[in-house]
Amino acid sequence: MMKLSAVCLVVLALLPSFCDGQTYQKPGTPPQKPAIPPRPPPKQRPAEPPQQKQTFEKELTWTYPADPQPEPKVDVPFELRHPVPAATVAVECREDITHVEVKKDLFGIGQFIDPADLTLGSCAAVAEDTAAQVLIYESHLHMCESTLMTTDSSLVYTFVLNYNPKPLGGSPVVRTSQAAVIVECHYPRRHNVSSLPLDPLWVPFSAVKMAEEFLYFSLRLMTDDFMYERPSYQYFLGDMIRIEADVKQYFHVPLRVYVDNCVATLSPDPNSSPRYAFIENHGCLVDGRITGSDSKYVSRPEDCKLNFQLEAFRFQGAESGMLYITCTLKATSTSHVLDNEHRACHYVGGWREISGADAVCGSCESGGFQTHTSTPVAPGASVLGGGGADPKNPSYPQEPQKRVGRDVSPDESVEWEGRVTIGPIPIAEKRASQTKV
C-alpha cells in the first residue's frame, strides 16, 4: 500500500510537465505545427556621414615646365656681296719692250703677295716701287717665254704672268690661289689682260649637332655685325668668316661656353688630311700668330655665347674650295674661374684673353706651331696657313656630342663638352679685271 502511494505521488509530480509537452487534439483533425517565434529585428548600423569634395584654401598654380621650343628663323636683311674685279695689272706696249706693273695686292683683298711668287714667264721683277707697293716687269718682245701669233691685221706677242704662292710658316693653308694672267701686245692694236679664274659649284647646307641633357651646342655663321645668322655660306678669299659658338642651357644653371679646339678640313671627318688646327691648346686661336691674319675672338655678348672671326683660306694644292670646320665646345658654370683649360685667347701684338684676364694665356705660346720670321706679315697678307693637331690631343673624339662627367668637389665643377661640325663652306677666288691700253 505504501509502494502504491509512492508511485502515485511521482505520477502527480510529472503530470504538469507532460501536459505542457502535449496538446489535446480532437480525433480526426490533422496535427498542427508548433508556432515559430518571431525573429528579432536586425540591428541597424549607424548612418555614415555623406562624402564631400576636398577643397584647398589656395588655388594650385604649379604646372609642368614647357618643352623647349626651337627659336624661330629670323628674316635677315642680307645680300651676298660679290667682289668687284680688282684692277691690279697695268700693261704698256712700247716699241720693242713690254712694260708690266702689278700691285702687290694682286687680288684686291688686302693681302700683299711675295714678289718671288710672281714672274713674267720665267723673268722676275726688275724693280719695285715701295711707296706705291707696285712690282715692275719689263721684257723684250721675243724674251721671257713670249709667243708670237700673226693675224691679217697685227702681230700679237703673248706673255703670261704666273703666280705660284708658296707656304709660309710651315702651314698647309693658303689665302690666295694660283693664277695666270695673260698679257698680249697687239701692234698697233689694243692690249687684253685677263685672269683665268674657276667658278666652283656648290650646294650649301649646315650641319649642327646637339649635346645631351638639354644642352645644345651650335656653331652659326653670322653677318658682319654678329646680329643675324648669315643666310649664305659663300665666301671669297680675303673675307672674314664670322662664327658664333652657342650653348642653350634651358633648365641648367647659367653656363659659360668656350671653344676648346677647332680644325678645318676638306671633308666632314676632322681626322682627314689635310687639316688645319686654328684653335688649339684649350682655347688658343693660333691662326693670327702663325699666318699674321686678323683672326681673333671678337666679343662675348652673353656668357653662353662666344664670337670669333677667321680669315678665309684655301688648302695649298687642293682643287676643292670647300671647307668643313669642326670645333669642340665646352660649357661650365659661370662661377667657374678662368684657368689654363677655360679661356679664349688670341694673338694681337701679344696673347690677349677676351675678358681681359691675359695671365691665363701664358701657355699659348708653348704650342707646337711654327711662324714665318723672314719678313713681317701684315694683317691680311698673303700667307699659307697650317699648324697641326694639338700635341696633347692628336685625335679628335669620334662620338658626336658627349657629356663629360666629373666628381663635384670644392676645387672642381661639372662641365659639358660637345663637338659641332659646320660646312661645307665654299671659298671662291676673286677675279682680276681686264686692263686695256
Side-chain angles (χ1 to χ4, degrees):
M1 190 65 183
M2 293 294 292
K3 292 182 181 180
L4 183 61
S5 300
V7 171
C8 292
L9 292 175
V10 171
V11 171
L12 292 175
L14 295 175
L15 184 60
S17 299
F18 179 79
C19 293
D20 292 338
Q22 298 287 332
T23 55
Y24 175 78
Q25 293 182 353
K26 290 182 179 182
T29 59
Q32 296 182 355
K33 294 182 179 180
I36 299 175
R39 294 182 180 179
K43 295 182 180 181
Q44 298 293 333
R45 295 182 179 179
E48 296 181 357
Q51 294 185 354
Q52 294 181 355
K53 183 178 181 181
Q54 185 178 4
T55 60
F56 296 92
E57 295 181 0
K58 296 182 180 180
E59 185 180 355
L60 295 179
T61 59
W62 182 88
T63 59
Y64 283 97
D67 293 335
Q69 299 296 327
E71 295 181 357
K73 287 289 185 179
V74 180
D75 187 9
V76 180
F78 174 81
E79 181 180 358
L80 181 64
R81 297 191 299 269
H82 289 271
V84 178
T88 57
V89 179
V91 181
E92 181 182 357
C93 294
R94 299 175 182 175
E95 183 176 355
D96 59 346
I97 291 176
T98 297
H99 178 89
V100 182
E101 295 184 358
V102 182
K103 292 183 180 180
K104 294 185 71 175
D105 184 10
L106 177 62
F107 296 94
I109 58 177
Q111 297 182 3
F112 292 163
I113 64 173
D114 188 347
D117 295 338
L118 184 65
T119 59
L120 182 65
S122 58
C123 302
V126 298
E128 179 179 350
D129 186 348
T130 56
Q133 298 294 337
V134 171
L135 302 175
I136 301 174
Y137 297 82
E138 286 188 351
S139 172
H140 290 281
L141 298 178
H142 59 280
M143 297 182 65
C144 295
E145 299 181 354
S146 65
T147 58
L148 172 63
M149 182 178 63
T150 304
T151 65
D152 295 337
S153 58
S154 63
L155 297 175
V156 181
Y157 290 88
T158 304
F159 297 83
V160 180
L161 270 172
N162 294 310
Y163 176 61
N164 296 303
K166 297 181 178 61
L168 296 176
S171 55
V173 303
V174 294
R175 291 194 169 93
T176 56
S177 301
Q178 293 184 354
V181 180
I182 307 299
V183 178
E184 296 181 349
C185 280
H186 293 235
Y187 291 90
R189 306 288 293 180
R190 62 185 181 182
H191 311 278
N192 181 26
V193 179
S194 64
S195 63
L196 300 177
L198 297 177
D199 294 329
L201 300 177
W202 68 92
V203 179
F205 73 96
S206 63
V208 179
K209 299 179 181 179
M210 298 177 296
E212 298 177 353
E213 293 193 4
F214 293 95
L215 280 182
Y216 297 91
F217 291 97
S218 65
L219 290 176
R220 297 191 300 166
L221 298 180
M222 305 297 290
T223 54
D224 293 347
D225 56 1
F226 286 94
M227 294 296 295
Y228 304 98
E229 185 174 359
R230 196 174 193 266
S232 173
Y233 275 37
Q234 176 66 62
Y235 289 91
F236 299 89
L237 291 175
D239 290 347
M240 283 294 176
I241 303 175
R242 292 175 170 85
I243 303 175
E244 182 180 86
D246 180 32
V247 57
K248 291 180 175 59
Q249 56 198 22
Y250 294 110
F251 306 118
H252 284 262
V253 297
L255 298 176
R256 183 180 296 116
V257 67
Y258 300 90
V259 182
D260 195 68
N261 52 67
C262 280
V263 62
T265 54
L266 293 175
S267 70
D269 182 9
N271 298 309
S272 61
S273 181
R275 61 195 302 271
Y276 174 42
F278 59 90
I279 297 180
E280 56 184 7
N281 195 14
H282 303 298
C284 298
L285 206 164
V286 299
D287 183 67
R289 183 71 176 91
I290 295 175
T291 67
S293 69
D294 197 30
S295 300
K296 61 182 179 181
Y297 292 101
V298 178
S299 64
R300 189 186 285 278
E302 302 174 32
D303 283 329
C304 61
K305 296 180 180 180
L306 181 60
N307 298 333
F308 63 97
Q309 64 184 26
L310 174 68
E311 192 167 348
F313 63 87
R314 302 182 71 179
F315 282 98
Q316 170 74 11
E319 297 180 359
S320 172
M322 302 294 182
L323 290 181
Y324 289 83
I325 295 177
T326 302
C327 295
T328 300
L329 306 183
K330 183 187 300 182
T332 62
S333 171
T334 54
S335 61
H336 188 85
V337 297
L338 300 178
D339 54 26
N340 292 339
E341 294 185 1
H342 305 85
R343 57 190 176 181
C345 300
H346 58 250
Y347 190 87
V348 181
W351 287 104
R352 302 287 184 268
E353 215 282 333
I354 189 66
S355 63
D358 300 340
V360 300
C361 301
S363 60
C364 288
E365 189 63 23
S366 62
F369 54 84
Q370 300 178 356
T371 59
H372 179 68
T373 57
S374 59
T375 57
V377 181
S382 175
V383 290
L384 313 180
D390 187 325
K392 299 180 182 179
N393 184 19
S395 63
Y396 281 74
Q398 300 296 326
E399 295 289 336
Q401 305 295 347
K402 66 177 184 177
R403 176 182 182 271
V404 177
R406 296 184 175 182
D407 294 333
V408 179
S409 64
D411 299 328
E412 191 174 39
S413 62
V414 179
E415 71 177 25
W416 291 262
E417 285 186 2
R419 192 177 68 185
V420 183
T421 300
I422 188 170
I425 303 174
I427 309 297
E429 302 176 22
K430 288 191 176 181
R431 297 184 179 183
S433 64
Q434 295 183 348
T435 304
K436 300 178 181 180
V437 296

